[in-house]
Amino acid sequence: MENYDLSFILNELGECRDQYFQAVSPPIVQTSNFAFRTVEEMRIRFQDEYGGYIYSRGLNPTVDILRKKLAALEETEDALVLNSGAAAIFLSVVPFVQQGDHVISVQQPYSWAQKLFNDILPRFGVQTSYVDARELSQIRDAIQSNTRLIYLESPNSWDFAIQDLEGVAKLAKSHNLLTVIDNSYCSPIFQKPSRWGIDLVLHSATKYLSGHSDTVAGVLCGRTELLRKVFNLEYLTAGNGIQPFNAWLLIRGLRTLPVRLERIQKTTMIIVECLKKHPKIESVLFPLDPEFPQFELARKQMSGACGLFSFVVKCRDPHRIELFCNKLRHILMAVSWGGHESLIIPRLAGIPLEQFNPEDSSHRLIRMYVGLEDADYLLSDLTQAMVHL
Ligand SMILES: *Cc1c(COP(=O)(O)O)cnc(C)c1O
């Protein structure tokens, strides 16, 4: 495994322009199957599908360009690209557990990770314990003789809780456990979990990696030995690899990843500072805010933070909180994040109105994602809507 310059990874690595007319942008190899010249070639390939092309449910040349770039970005040996982040979550866990096993997970991981742990794995005799993984001791205390895997998400995409990646990796190694992290929030630009010893790194590539809100995709990075195991059974069986066109969109998105994140980080800092001072805002949660409870740990393992943060409004009237959201003119109300466009989701959208509890600050929480717009443009939109709070 080599360490490449970021510019080399994004502009050259994996690209073989001699093979396609010196085209700068790689071709979309839109084929389902690949032909062999001899039976012997076919026989060799059948013995090791992970080593070459047979059928695009397995490997595909456009996808392979992307795999090389993603593995290099995460500083892992290898990467697989899936047709969603949810598929990446599934493939980071299911291949590594069997009946009777136990998984330790952070509290409130991404919602579809919770479905996997709560509703699917128990059907196959695999139980999950959720722990407050901000404390290493909570993870240590949850380890049982049948524990196989520790599932992390750092920072969490709602409350930004962080885990000590170095500490968890050491603990896991001493008990022979596999560690998995959802690294979507930081992207490999701001956090490289493999440097701390985490085994498998997954992403919703729908978010920053693609960056334009025009495709759904997922990534799983790790040692070749682990990914080969995933590929040969669950990946090929579920058939949830990415399609060549979507892989091409991701290659295009990656070209501008560092530039987008730099810009988003700057704008986010400005907006966080303004909201912190705003009389109608009770608190702001952002991992690189010096007042964030785990700020020191965030600074140790993250070289930056992105456009996602949350704020709690002082207003206790749910109708006025709704009015604030409805009156935004430019910031869109939508799920997802990581694209060019700024977004909000109020927590109360997920709560039946009669259950809204004004005393519970989490009910007054609004998650915001800052996109590529100008800070002033976003601030004036927030300010005009805040008159309703
Ligand atoms: C969106 C998201 C996912 C799921 O990814 P999809 O591409 O939507 O399947 C997983 N983890 C986090 C943190 C996310 O935000």
mmCIF file of all heavy atoms in Angstrom, residues 84-87 89 110 153 157 182 184 204-207 216-217 337, ligand 1:
data_model
loop_
_atom_site.group_PDB
_atom_site.id
_atom_site.type_symbol
_atom_site.label_atom_id
_atom_site.label_comp_id
_atom_site.label_asym_id
_atom_site.label_seq_id
_atom_site.Cartn_x
_atom_site.Cartn_y
_atom_site.Cartn_z
ATOM 1 N N SER A 84 -25.577 1.704 -2.615
ATOM 2 C CA SER A 84 -26.057 2.636 -1.580
ATOM 3 C C SER A 84 -25.160 2.542 -0.359
ATOM 4 O O SER A 84 -24.433 1.549 -0.184
ATOM 5 C CB SER A 84 -27.504 2.328 -1.169
ATOM 6 O OG SER A 84 -27.551 1.130 -0.425
ATOM 7 N N GLY A 85 -25.239 3.556 0.483
ATOM 8 C CA GLY A 85 -24.531 3.503 1.758
ATOM 9 C C GLY A 85 -25.128 2.416 2.646
ATOM 10 O O GLY A 85 -24.422 1.753 3.404
ATOM 11 N N ALA A 86 -26.456 2.224 2.536
ATOM 12 C CA ALA A 86 -27.109 1.183 3.331
ATOM 13 C C ALA A 86 -26.534 -0.192 2.963
ATOM 14 O O ALA A 86 -26.332 -1.046 3.835
ATOM 15 C CB ALA A 86 -28.610 1.223 3.107
ATOM 16 N N ALA A 87 -26.268 -0.413 1.679
ATOM 17 C CA ALA A 87 -25.656 -1.685 1.255
ATOM 18 C C ALA A 87 -24.260 -1.822 1.857
ATOM 19 O O ALA A 87 -23.839 -2.930 2.235
ATOM 20 C CB ALA A 87 -25.590 -1.761 -0.275
ATOM 21 N N ILE A 89 -23.310 -0.608 4.725
ATOM 22 C CA ILE A 89 -23.524 -0.969 6.131
ATOM 23 C C ILE A 89 -23.786 -2.476 6.230
ATOM 24 O O ILE A 89 -23.165 -3.194 7.023
ATOM 25 C CB ILE A 89 -24.705 -0.165 6.728
ATOM 26 C CG1 ILE A 89 -24.346 1.315 6.816
ATOM 27 C CG2 ILE A 89 -25.109 -0.721 8.094
ATOM 28 C CD1 ILE A 89 -25.503 2.234 7.192
ATOM 29 N N TYR A 110 -26.787 5.339 12.166
ATOM 30 C CA TYR A 110 -27.674 5.666 11.050
ATOM 31 C C TYR A 110 -28.898 4.741 11.073
ATOM 32 O O TYR A 110 -28.785 3.555 11.365
ATOM 33 C CB TYR A 110 -26.896 5.532 9.737
ATOM 34 C CG TYR A 110 -27.726 5.877 8.544
ATOM 35 C CD1 TYR A 110 -28.118 7.182 8.306
ATOM 36 C CD2 TYR A 110 -28.158 4.889 7.666
ATOM 37 C CE1 TYR A 110 -28.915 7.505 7.228
ATOM 38 C CE2 TYR A 110 -28.955 5.201 6.581
ATOM 39 C CZ TYR A 110 -29.332 6.508 6.365
ATOM 40 O OH TYR A 110 -30.121 6.814 5.305
ATOM 41 N N GLU A 153 -19.732 5.006 14.507
ATOM 42 C CA GLU A 153 -20.102 6.085 13.572
ATOM 43 C C GLU A 153 -19.585 7.345 14.242
ATOM 44 O O GLU A 153 -20.108 7.775 15.267
ATOM 45 C CB GLU A 153 -21.628 6.130 13.401
ATOM 46 C CG GLU A 153 -22.076 7.159 12.382
ATOM 47 C CD GLU A 153 -23.600 7.201 12.216
ATOM 48 O OE1 GLU A 153 -24.245 6.137 12.193
ATOM 49 O OE2 GLU A 153 -24.134 8.312 12.136
ATOM 50 N N SER A 157 -24.253 11.480 12.880
ATOM 51 C CA SER A 157 -24.727 12.547 11.992
ATOM 52 C C SER A 157 -25.906 13.349 12.571
ATOM 53 O O SER A 157 -26.463 14.196 11.877
ATOM 54 C CB SER A 157 -25.074 11.989 10.616
ATOM 55 O OG SER A 157 -26.169 11.127 10.707
ATOM 56 N N ASP A 182 -18.608 4.029 10.207
ATOM 57 C CA ASP A 182 -19.267 4.846 9.203
ATOM 58 C C ASP A 182 -18.561 6.207 9.232
ATOM 59 O O ASP A 182 -18.681 6.956 10.202
ATOM 60 C CB ASP A 182 -20.755 4.969 9.549
ATOM 61 C CG ASP A 182 -21.546 5.764 8.513
ATOM 62 O OD1 ASP A 182 -20.937 6.590 7.811
ATOM 63 O OD2 ASP A 182 -22.774 5.567 8.426
ATOM 64 N N SER A 184 -18.904 8.674 6.974
ATOM 65 C CA SER A 184 -19.543 9.575 6.000
ATOM 66 C C SER A 184 -19.393 11.042 6.387
ATOM 67 O O SER A 184 -19.210 11.896 5.524
ATOM 68 C CB SER A 184 -21.039 9.261 5.876
ATOM 69 O OG SER A 184 -21.252 7.920 5.531
ATOM 70 N N SER A 204 -21.547 6.529 3.063
ATOM 71 C CA SER A 204 -22.603 6.809 2.120
ATOM 72 C C SER A 204 -21.973 7.751 1.097
ATOM 73 O O SER A 204 -21.762 8.929 1.382
ATOM 74 C CB SER A 204 -23.772 7.504 2.813
ATOM 75 O OG SER A 204 -24.622 8.006 1.797
ATOM 76 N N ALA A 205 -21.664 7.236 -0.080
ATOM 77 C CA ALA A 205 -21.042 8.067 -1.119
ATOM 78 C C ALA A 205 -22.054 9.020 -1.737
ATOM 79 O O ALA A 205 -21.694 9.916 -2.506
ATOM 80 C CB ALA A 205 -20.410 7.185 -2.191
ATOM 81 N N THR A 206 -23.323 8.817 -1.382
ATOM 82 C CA THR A 206 -24.390 9.741 -1.784
ATOM 83 C C THR A 206 -24.081 11.147 -1.276
ATOM 84 O O THR A 206 -24.526 12.133 -1.869
ATOM 85 C CB THR A 206 -25.716 9.274 -1.136
ATOM 86 O OG1 THR A 206 -25.842 7.868 -1.323
ATOM 87 C CG2 THR A 206 -26.901 9.981 -1.720
ATOM 88 N N LYS A 207 -23.352 11.222 -0.163
ATOM 89 C CA LYS A 207 -23.137 12.485 0.523
ATOM 90 C C LYS A 207 -21.927 13.211 -0.116
ATOM 91 O O LYS A 207 -21.987 13.559 -1.267
ATOM 92 C CB LYS A 207 -22.967 12.237 2.016
ATOM 93 C CG LYS A 207 -24.031 11.279 2.600
ATOM 94 C CD LYS A 207 -25.443 11.848 2.540
ATOM 95 C CE LYS A 207 -26.557 10.810 2.742
ATOM 96 N NZ LYS A 207 -26.453 9.959 3.911
ATOM 97 N N VAL A 216 -27.068 7.802 -5.671
ATOM 98 C CA VAL A 216 -27.035 7.082 -4.395
ATOM 99 C C VAL A 216 -25.951 6.008 -4.517
ATOM 100 O O VAL A 216 -25.940 5.257 -5.493
ATOM 101 C CB VAL A 216 -28.413 6.449 -4.092
ATOM 102 C CG1 VAL A 216 -28.361 5.575 -2.848
ATOM 103 C CG2 VAL A 216 -29.465 7.536 -3.918
ATOM 104 N N ALA A 217 -25.030 5.972 -3.561
ATOM 105 C CA ALA A 217 -23.934 4.996 -3.649
ATOM 106 C C ALA A 217 -23.286 4.799 -2.281
ATOM 107 O O ALA A 217 -23.457 5.621 -1.372
ATOM 108 C CB ALA A 217 -22.879 5.479 -4.651
ATOM 109 N N TRP A 337 -27.669 14.942 2.642
ATOM 110 C CA TRP A 337 -26.745 16.059 2.849
ATOM 111 C C TRP A 337 -25.501 15.753 2.018
ATOM 112 O O TRP A 337 -25.410 14.692 1.407
ATOM 113 C CB TRP A 337 -26.393 16.231 4.337
ATOM 114 C CG TRP A 337 -25.916 14.975 5.031
ATOM 115 C CD1 TRP A 337 -26.712 14.013 5.581
ATOM 116 C CD2 TRP A 337 -24.570 14.556 5.230
ATOM 117 N NE1 TRP A 337 -25.940 13.011 6.106
ATOM 118 C CE2 TRP A 337 -24.617 13.321 5.910
ATOM 119 C CE3 TRP A 337 -23.327 15.099 4.900
ATOM 120 C CZ2 TRP A 337 -23.473 12.604 6.266
ATOM 121 C CZ3 TRP A 337 -22.181 14.392 5.256
ATOM 122 C CH2 TRP A 337 -22.272 13.158 5.931
HETATM 123 C C1 LIG B 1 -27.122 8.719 4.314
HETATM 124 C C2 LIG B 1 -26.322 7.971 5.300
HETATM 125 C C3 LIG B 1 -26.146 6.581 5.207
HETATM 126 C C4 LIG B 1 -26.855 5.730 4.188
HETATM 127 O O1 LIG B 1 -26.437 5.957 2.896
HETATM 128 P P1 LIG B 1 -27.358 5.822 1.594
HETATM 129 O O2 LIG B 1 -26.433 6.179 0.514
HETATM 130 O O3 LIG B 1 -28.502 6.770 1.781
HETATM 131 O O4 LIG B 1 -27.836 4.407 1.528
HETATM 132 C C5 LIG B 1 -25.319 5.971 6.114
HETATM 133 N N1 LIG B 1 -24.699 6.671 7.078
HETATM 134 C C6 LIG B 1 -24.853 7.991 7.219
HETATM 135 C C7 LIG B 1 -24.143 8.713 8.303
HETATM 136 C C8 LIG B 1 -25.664 8.699 6.333
HETATM 137 O O5 LIG B 1 -25.834 10.016 6.477
#
